[in-house]
Amino acid sequence: MSEPTPDSTPPAAVSPRESLLVRAARQLPVDRTPVWFMRQAGRSLPEYRALREGVEMLTACRTPELVTEITLQPVRRHGVDAAIFFSDIVVPVQAVGVDIEIRPGVGPVVAEPFRTRADLDRLPELTPGHVTDVTESVRLLTAELGPTPLIGFAGAPFTLASYLVEGGPSKNHERTKALMHGDPVLWHDLCARLAQISAAFLQVQAAAGASAVQLFDSWAGFLSRADYLRHVEPHSRAVLAAAAETGVPRIHFGVGTGELLVDMAEAGADVIGVDYRVSLADAITRTRGRYAVQGNLDPALLFAPWEALAPQVRRIVEEGHGAPGHIFNLGHGVLPQTDPDVLTRVVQLVQSIPRPGAGG
Ligand code: 1CP
C-alpha cells in the first residue's frame, strides 16, 4: 500500500491511518471535515445504559468485550468518523494499583488521597503488563472498526494529579494548588510519575492499533499561565513527546484554556482542542494557523431547536476551513440528557459540507 499523495484526497475506504481524521490532523487535504464527539460513548445512549446495568464503570473499562461493544455503539448509531476508546482517565492509575473507583453521579474517588512523598510509593511506573486488557480491547476494536480510526487517550499529569490529591472531583483544586506551591519538588516528582504512566498508556494503545491519541488536560483551565508553564507544561510536553514516538497524531485538549491555547499547542500537539468559549477563528489566529484545530460546538446548544443549532454547526465548519486542518467536535463532552438523534443530525450536516481547496 502506498501513502496517499499530499495533494489528493484518498478514496473513502482507506486504512484508518489514512482516514479523514488522521489526514486533517496532519494538515493534509480532505474533501470534508471529519467529525466525532468527546463522550460520544455512554451517557446519552440507551443501548449503553442497558449494557452497563449492574456493571461497575471500571469493571466495564477493563472487560474487552464490553469495551468493544460500547466503543462501537456510537459509531454505528451516528456514523461518526472516529471511535473514542471506551475507558477513563483513571484506568492507568488503577492499573498500577491505586485504590480508586468511579461512583455514579460523582466521578472518580480515591480511597487514600496523595499528599506526601511516601504516597509516591503507591504509584509505580506503568508497563504494558499492567494493561494487557487494554491491548486486547484495542486489537478487538480495530479489527471491527475497519477503516474507521480509533482514538486512544490519556489524562494529562495535572488533571490526573488533581484527582489523586483532592481524592475526587474538585471545584477549586485547592489541595492540588497547595501542593504545587507548598512542595514544588514533590509536585514535580508526582507529575513526572504521572507523565510516565500517561505516556506508557498512550503508547500501549497506539502499539495495539489506535490511529490517533488525545491528551485530556480537562482542568488545566483552572491554572494561571505562569503556573501552567512552570508546574505543568513540562510534564505534558514529556507525554506528548513520548506519544510522538508512536507516529500517530496527537490532540491536546483542555477546558477553559483560551489563555493557554498557544502554550498547549506548543507543548507538542498536532491538533489543538478548542473549547466553546473561544471561537475557532480566534484559536486559529492565536496559534498563527500552524496547528490543526478540533472543536468546538457548545454541548448545551444541542438542546436548542434545530433551526438555531444548524447555523451554529455550519459556522463552526466554515471557521474550520480557515485552519490547516479541522476536526469537528464539541467544546467539551456530550451532556447526559442530550437527544442522540440530534447528534446524528449534526454528524450528517457536518459530513454534507464540502471543504474547499481539497482539489477534488
Ligand atoms: O457510569 C458511567 O457511565 C460513568 C460516566 C463516565 C463515562 C461514560 C465516566 C466517569 N467516564 C466515562 C468514560 C470516559 N471518560 C471516556 C470514554 C467515553 C467517550 O468519550 O465517549 C473518556 C474519554 C473519559 C475521559 C475522562 N474521564 C475525562 C476527560 C474528559 C472530560 O470530560 O474532560 C475526565 C475528567 C474523566 C473523569 C471522570 N470520569 C467519569 C466522570 C463523571 C468524570 C468527571 C468527574 C469530574 O467532574 O471531575
Side-chain angles (χ1 to χ4, degrees), residues 36-43 48 52 55-57 61 70 74 84-90 102-108 153-155 159 163 168-170 214 216-219 253 255 332-333:
W36 68 283
F37 302 115
M38 288 183 275
R39 301 297 188 94
Q40 66 190 16
R43 308 221 279 187
Y48 167 79
R52 277 287 317 285
V55 186
E56 274 190 22
M57 178 64 189
C61 291
I70 294 171
I84 176 81
F85 187 55
F86 181 77
S87 188
D88 194 84
I89 56 167
V90 300
I102 295 183
R103 290 212 189 125
V106 179
F153 74 93
T159 292
Y163 285 108
S170 167
Q214 176 154 325
F216 281 95
D217 208 352
S218 303
W219 312 141
F253 171 77
V255 183
H332 196 183

Side-chain angles (χ1 to χ4, degrees), residues 115-132:
R115 305 277 159 79
T116 68
R117 180 154 293 278
D119 292 323
L120 271 186
D121 297 340
R122 293 193 278 131
L123 199 64
E125 293 199 347
L126 182 117
T127 66
H130 286 114
V131 284
T132 50

Side-chain angles (χ1 to χ4, degrees), residues 255-274:
V255 183
T257 46
E259 291 298 319
L260 305 178
L261 218 51
V262 174
D263 303 307
M264 288 182 69
E266 288 179 357
D270 298 294
V271 182
I272 183 70
V274 185

Side-chain angles (χ1 to χ4, degrees), residues 228-240:
Y228 181 75
L229 287 174
R230 176 149 179 234
H231 296 290
V232 172
E233 192 267 2
H235 302 290
S236 295
R237 177 180 289 276
V239 180
L240 291 164

